[in-house]
């Protein structure tokens, strides 16, 4: 697991608490201690002046950061650890020092008697923290916090409801009551007296654009940044892998990697059997066009069923995306081929305007009620998960316990109504970036790749690229009905026209079909078995109806059952 | 209470309304008063029609079985019998006919009033006076900079409201408006549609002379800009006949009918019949519209394989 750092802040024996969580202490002060958990990779211990930190840090703009430190009078050796650079930036500039660091990082710093936690700009790596009595604890692993003896771990029903609505947990809430996930782009100072101070070192913001500028001015800038983002993420002197679905995002990353890398580029595509629709024609076309070493992997229902429980157990917060298991298996195949870094095209939709915005445009066209909650509700509904079915699905006891719970809309409303953005489309992208990007896409990539001891990198989530995208006129991102138009323009010389002009389809998994075959017994045993019944979360009849394809207007029974299945497996893995 | 020659106790009628509400609102669907009326009609459907259809089917199946099993008929007789066995239920299902509502609207209103007095407002029933689309939306100035692929225009305003209340506009990513809301077509909608490569108006109308006329005159009626296309989704008389919808008789027989109608449809309309979109089950209406407006990816099959061979030239007819 990446970033298996652990930190505690207790009045008495912080090292003892750390050891009880399974960590080896690496530094401590009177009240605080930090340590590393076993079996971790990418984790390091870093020193700067009187500061000590533990965490997982990968930087993509080392030369610029070393120059900046040199200007501050700090001369570091060229081969110093990424974490040391980050820690020196903090030592010199405070939390604002993190703003310039383009990378993937989750770090815990022992700063006197305080603990400082840092999560990178877009949320590539994760950190969790909690307070029990007068004690703080933080970790990159929720499982380690679950093992903390001071924490009375109970299921958070609010988070159950959020998971059923989003298929992931969209904010700081986790499924363990009282444990929070850090929001991205933040630096959190935990003090022994119980105080907690948050610094925001980066947040997407809309830059004013010049309507008179031709589109070419924006495409040139974006192309430069795309090349920089991909080049910085290529491993020096090693081959690189790319998850290639055949869509525009992974295809452009493949094309840039093939052009910029001085070693071989391996591409991986997946399908679920010849009888199901797939994107192999597109991915093979891109692979042939870019001259990569292409591997097609076929995962059938039995394979997915066999690996589902293990995949879910790897996640700190459950993700109801059926592609999670194929992602894990794909990363494992890449690791077997000897790769240490694999790129992906994640981020294209939230940063440049993917197809998920169309329903919200239709909603806004018809909107009659100015209440912001109405828009937030529509956004939750646009996820097409269980939002409208929650009252029907949850048992009376659970609904009773949730009677005074804060509304789900709070997870998206601050972004949808944010004064930082003047454009409606940009607010939709901002919402997507800060919810799905930071709490679903990136953590999923990180956990699935790190499980195979490789590093998954997402160039389209690079924060300078995000900044540039928010400085592009929104009508160039969604031009009429053309999604990501400006992105396609920026790479039109790199890819075949078929790829540039094809409509977005997404990777479709035959979940519904498998639930009648290889996943049927698993779903029956898990969702209708004694353990699930004893937990009492869901009405049994509703689950039975869904399993028999009844009770829903839009036939999403397979997706809904998949959500329940994922949640049940996760709860068992975390013993909740 | 009396309707169509049947007498029912008030308690039974309210129980039927209750069952109809459960059917209409299954899965959380929201529905109009008119849709509930038809749902109650379906619940009260006289068993005679079912008996007639079942009798026809049984007779046909029985005779074909006799033919198949009795010797010394040659094999081809058995084959005919077997095909009848398979085709008769299919034919019975597809016989084109519509049904007369077993309940008058006034009787339904009384029944609904009784239900309300006992149980309150039916869950999922939409108010008749829901607001129309607000033509001015100045909250998001960049909204009209983007495109919409098409707009669905409904002849019946209550159907447009029902589709919106069920968020079909978000499912289909389109605008859904009633005819009265789009005559003339709002500038804001034109601004969004014009950004689509092939702007389309989909028209949902009743199976009636007025509905068909509305489909025929849509371009002029909506004053559509050049390049906009209109596609009538129905309800065509044949849809009503094949789905055995409830239809009213007594409308003024139409004199001018579109040339595209077949003989059966013409005869049905000339007899003064008309069927409303509201007569479809609410969930069927939603799913059908969703299906017809989205490309469906089919699973590969033996038959689609044959079609693919044909398109690639394998064993195709010479041209």
């Amino acid at each position: 697991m990446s970033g298996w750092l652990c930190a505690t802040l207790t009045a008495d024996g912080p090292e003892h608490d750390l050891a009880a969580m399974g960590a080896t202490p690496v530094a401590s002060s009177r009240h605080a201690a930090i340590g590393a958990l076993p079996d971790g990779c990418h984790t390091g211990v870093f020193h700067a002046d009187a500061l000590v930190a533990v965490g997982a840090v990968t930087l993509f703009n080392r030369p610029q950061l070393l120059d900046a430190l040199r200007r501050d009078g700090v001369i570091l050796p060229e081969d110093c650890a990424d974490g040391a650079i980050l820690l020196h930036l903090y030592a010199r500039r405070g939390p604002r020092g993190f703003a310039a660091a383009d990378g993937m990082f989750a770090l815990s710093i022992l700063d006197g008697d305080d603990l400082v936690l840092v999560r990178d700009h877009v949320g590539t790596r994760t950190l969790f923290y909690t307070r029990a009595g007068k004690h703080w604890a933080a970790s990159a692993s929720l499982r380690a916090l679950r093992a903390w003896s001071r924490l009375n771990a109970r299921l958070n029903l609010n988070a159950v409801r959020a998971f059923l609505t989003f298929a992931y947990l969209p904010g700081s809430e986790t499924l363990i009551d009282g444990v929070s996930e850090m929001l991205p782009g933040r630096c959190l100072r935990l003090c022994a007296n119980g105080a907690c101070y948050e610094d925001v070192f980066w947040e997407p913001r809309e830059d004013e654009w010049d309507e008179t500028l031709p589109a070419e001015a924006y495409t040139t800038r974006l192309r430069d940044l795309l090349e920089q983002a991909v080049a910085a993420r290529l491993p020096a002197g090693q081959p690189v892998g790319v998850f290639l679905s055949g869509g525009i995002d992974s295809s452009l990353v493949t094309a840039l990697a093939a052009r910029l890398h001085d070693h071989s580029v391996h591409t991986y595509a997946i399908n679920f059997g010849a009888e199901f629709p797939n994107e192999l024609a597109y991915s093979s076309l891109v692979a042939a066009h870019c001259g990569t070493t292409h591997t097609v992997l076929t995962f059938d229902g039995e394979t997915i069923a066999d690996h589902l429980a293990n995949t879910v157990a790897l996640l700190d917060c459950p993700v109801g995306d059926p592609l999670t298991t194929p992602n894990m298996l794909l990363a494992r195949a890449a690791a077997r081929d000897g790769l240490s870094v694999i790129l992906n095209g994640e981020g294209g939709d939230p940063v440049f305007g993917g197809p998920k915005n169309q329903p919200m445009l239709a909603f806004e066209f018809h909107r009659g009620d100015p209440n912001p909650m109405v828009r937030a509700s529509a956004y939750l509904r646009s996820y097409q998960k269980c939002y409208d079915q929650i009252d029907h699905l949850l048992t009376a006891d659970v609904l009773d316990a949730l009677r005074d719970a804060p509304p789900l809309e709070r997870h998206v409303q601050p972004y949808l109504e944010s004064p930082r953005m003047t454009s409606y489309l940009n607010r939709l992208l901002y919402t997507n970036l800060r919810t799905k990007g930071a709490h679903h896409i990136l953590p999923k990539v990180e956990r699935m790749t790190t499980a195979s001891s490789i590093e998954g990198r997402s160039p389209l989530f690079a924060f300078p690229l995000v900044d540039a995208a928010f400085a592009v006129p929104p009508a160039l991102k969604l031009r009429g009905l053309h999604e990501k138009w400006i992105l396609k323009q920026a790479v039109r010389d790199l890819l075949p026209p078929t790829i540039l002009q094809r409509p977005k389809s997404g990777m479709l998994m035959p979940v519904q079909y498998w639930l009648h075959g290889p996943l049927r017994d698993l779903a029956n045993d898990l969702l209708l078995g004694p353990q699930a019944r004893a937990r009492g979360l869901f009405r049994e009849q509703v689950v039975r109806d869904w399993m028999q394809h009844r009770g829903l207007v839009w036939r999403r029974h397979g997706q809904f059952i998949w959500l329940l299945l994922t949640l049940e497996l996760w709860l068992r893995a975390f013993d909740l | 209470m009396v309707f169509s020659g049947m007498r029912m106790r008030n308690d039974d009628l309210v129980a039927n309304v209750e069952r109809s509400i459960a059917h209409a609102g299954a899965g959380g669907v929201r529905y109009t008063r008119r849709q509930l009326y038809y749902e109650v009609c379906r619940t009260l459907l006289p068993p005679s029609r079912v008996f007639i259809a079942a009798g026809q089917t049984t007779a046909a199946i029985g005779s074909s079985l006799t033919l198949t099993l009795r010797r010394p008929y040659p094999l081809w007789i058995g084959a005919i019998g077997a095909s009848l066995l398979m085709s008769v239920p299919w034919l019975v299902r597809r016989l084109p006919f519509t049904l007369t509502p077993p309940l008058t609207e006034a009787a339904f209103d009384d029944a609904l009033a009784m239900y309300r007095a006992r149980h309150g407002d039916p869950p999922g029933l939409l108010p008749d006076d829901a607001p129309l689309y607000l033509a001015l939306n100045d909250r998001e100035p960049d909204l009209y900079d983007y495109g919409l692929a098409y707009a669905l225009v409904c002849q019946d305003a209550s159907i447009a409201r029902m589709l919106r209340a069920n968020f079909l506009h978000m499912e289909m990513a389109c605008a859904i408006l009633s005819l009265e809301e789009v005559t003339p077509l709002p500038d804001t909608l034109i601004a969004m549609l014009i950004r689509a490569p092939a702007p389309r108006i989909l028209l949902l109308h009743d199976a009636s002379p007025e509905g068909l006329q509305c489909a025929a005159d849509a371009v002029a009626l909506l004053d559509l800009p050049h390049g906009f296309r209109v596609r009538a989704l129905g309800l065509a008389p044949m849809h009503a006949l094949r789905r055995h919808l409830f239809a009213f008789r007594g409308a003024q027989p139409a004199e001018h009918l579109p040339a595209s109608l077949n003989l059966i449809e013409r005869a049905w309309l000339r007899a003064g019949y008309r069927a409303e979109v509201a007569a479809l089950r609410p969930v069927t209406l939603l799913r059908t519209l969703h299906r017809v407006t989205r490309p469906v990816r089919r699973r590969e099959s033996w038959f689609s394989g044959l079609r693919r061979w044909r398109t690639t030239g394998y064993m195709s007819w010479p041209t």
Side-chain angles (χ1 to χ4, degrees), chain B residues 65-131:
Chain B
L65 267 177
T66 309
L67 283 172
T68 312
L69 298 176
R70 276 199 61 178
R71 291 173 184 275
Y73 291 111
L75 189 62
W76 63 268
I77 299 248
I80 290 175
S83 11
L84 277 172
L85 184 69
M86 287 189 290
S87 60
V88 167
W90 184 87
L91 279 171
V92 169
R93 272 204 310 277
R94 279 159 184 77
L95 277 177
F97 63 87
T98 49
L99 299 163
T100 305
L103 181 70
T104 64
E105 217 177 327
F108 165 73
D109 284 340
D110 290 347
L112 188 57
M114 276 191 287
Y115 174 91
R116 280 197 163 113
R118 293 185 193 184
H119 305 294
D121 278 333
L125 178 64
L126 292 164
D128 287 335
D129 54 351

Side-chain angles (χ1 to χ4, degrees), chain A residues 364 375 427 552-553 556, chain B residues 137 140 142 147 171 176 287:
Chain A
E364 197 62 30
R375 184 191 276 168
R427 285 204 296 280
L552 293 173
V553 177
R556 299 190 175 121
Chain B
N137 185 339
E140 299 296 349
D142 65 322
E171 289 287 334
I176 299 179
R287 285 178 181 159

Side-chain angles (χ1 to χ4, degrees), chain A residues 249-263:
Chain A
D249 305 326
S250 60
S251 298
L252 79 88
V253 171
T254 303
L256 286 170
R259 178 175 282 206
L260 300 170
H261 200 34
D262 51 7
H263 278 67

